[in-house]
Amino acid sequence: MRSSTKSLLRLLATMLTCTLIAAACGDDDASSDTSSDASSDTSSDTSDDSDDSSSADDGADDTEAPDDADDADEAESTTDDPPAEENAPVKIGLIAQDEELLAFPEVRSVSQAFIDYFNAELDGAEGHPIELDVCGAGDAPESHVACAQQFANDDSINLVISGGFLGNSAAAGEVLVGEGVPYVTLGNDFIDYLTPGQFTFDPGLPGLAQVFFVFMGQTRGDVSATLFIADDPAFAPFIPALEAIAAANGVEINEVVPLGFEPDLTGPVSAANTDNDGWLFVLADGAQCTASASAVATVGYEGNLYANDLCMGEDVIASGALDGWAGPVVSSAPTTDGGEDVDLIIRVIDEYGDSDSQRAGLAGWALANMHIARDILIAAGLDEATRESVMAALNSYSSDSIPGYPAVACPGPSAWVGACNQSPLMVTVADGQLTSPDGFVQLDFAELDFLLG
């Protein structure tokens, strides 16, 4: 993709053509220690020694010999039947973008919280402890490539999940798919959906954009919109796609306003067209979102307000700054009307999480992917799993039992083979909380085939 829709479609078409230990037995008394030290004695020698000891010590307790015999029997039994070893662990590789400027520390934190929950309350993965091997990465592709190569070289890792944002996921995918490592991504770059051997369990940018504009056009009746987008080179290539998806749903984006990362964004926001039906904010993080919300309040815009999931961080929502805003999220961030599933999610995050855990941001994506990874490793053979068996399990995976998540199934439709989740959750912010009056919205990725030319 470049800066025009034509270039975007050409690149998308090109992308389409591109996979105990046992403890010592016996009593703890001195005679037991002495017996243990005499490890070179044979059983007949021991018997002779016992006879001699019995003859020489007429005052010995009558029960001593049977006790010794019982100890000997116990030792023999232990030798013949050693205790079973703990089941071998199964591992999940996670690339966490939690370093540098554009970082999502909740991914590592919430992922580990759910792994700890599985091990503590669900017997791991059918009796096998689950280990999360995390490679921290920054906001540039080089560190993601290094993490991907680390996991590709580790024979104990048969499944890698990446929380890399935008082009970082594609950079890691090029390594992992090339090495035949089953790979699950965050799903922002279009190539994440078009590459065999690469899977996404969130609707990502294409799905979120489609639902954005279906919701804006069909539910709210908007026909015109201003797009505010993070002034970052990583976001710019997606503008043509957003414009095309909007137009396909009867919404015209008639102006694009880049927003920086300074704390006061009143200037650029106040210059936007207040006559447009909706203002759509596609931003990088909660800080940029807070600055945007403050600017909107200053300007006094009275149209419909929409935000992407990265904008709707837990702290921003709780502050009340986004009250009245709506938008799709990649997964089931706990809402006020989520029922038992949300109760479970909140309990696990509260009991097993740390200071980086939260209930919004990419927390829902992280928890869902840990559930899916556990399912996949069980289906693929646990400690006997191979990269081939994991890949086969991914290619036929479906589930409707992930807490607070919609039904998912792989592969996706048409060319969108990686689109295993086609149901974003539409949320509205009210009184500092997420609500989901519209619930999950089913979409068909095949409706986006027009982008492929």
Side-chain angles (χ1 to χ4, degrees), residues 26 79 93 114 220 223 242 277 290 308 406:
T79 302
F114 273 82
R220 294 286 180 85
V223 297
L242 293 170
D277 297 325
T290 298
N308 61 323

Side-chain angles (χ1 to χ4, degrees), residues 155-230:
D155 293 338
S156 70
I157 300 292
N158 296 310
L159 174 62
V160 175
I161 298 172
S162 171
F165 189 59
L166 296 175
N168 294 333
S169 63
E174 186 173 352
V175 174
L176 292 165
V177 173
E179 296 282 350
V181 182
Y183 180 48
V184 175
T185 78
L186 177 57
N188 284 280
D189 207 323
F190 277 76
I191 197 171
D192 295 340
Y193 299 86
L194 300 167
T195 304
Q198 194 160 305
F199 305 85
T200 62
F201 289 94
D202 68 83
L205 178 68
L208 294 183
Q210 174 75 340
V211 170
F212 249 135
F213 296 116
V214 168
F215 185 77
M216 291 177 70
Q218 297 181 14
T219 303
R220 294 286 180 85
D222 297 343
V223 297
S224 60
T226 298
L227 170 62
F228 297 89
I229 195 163

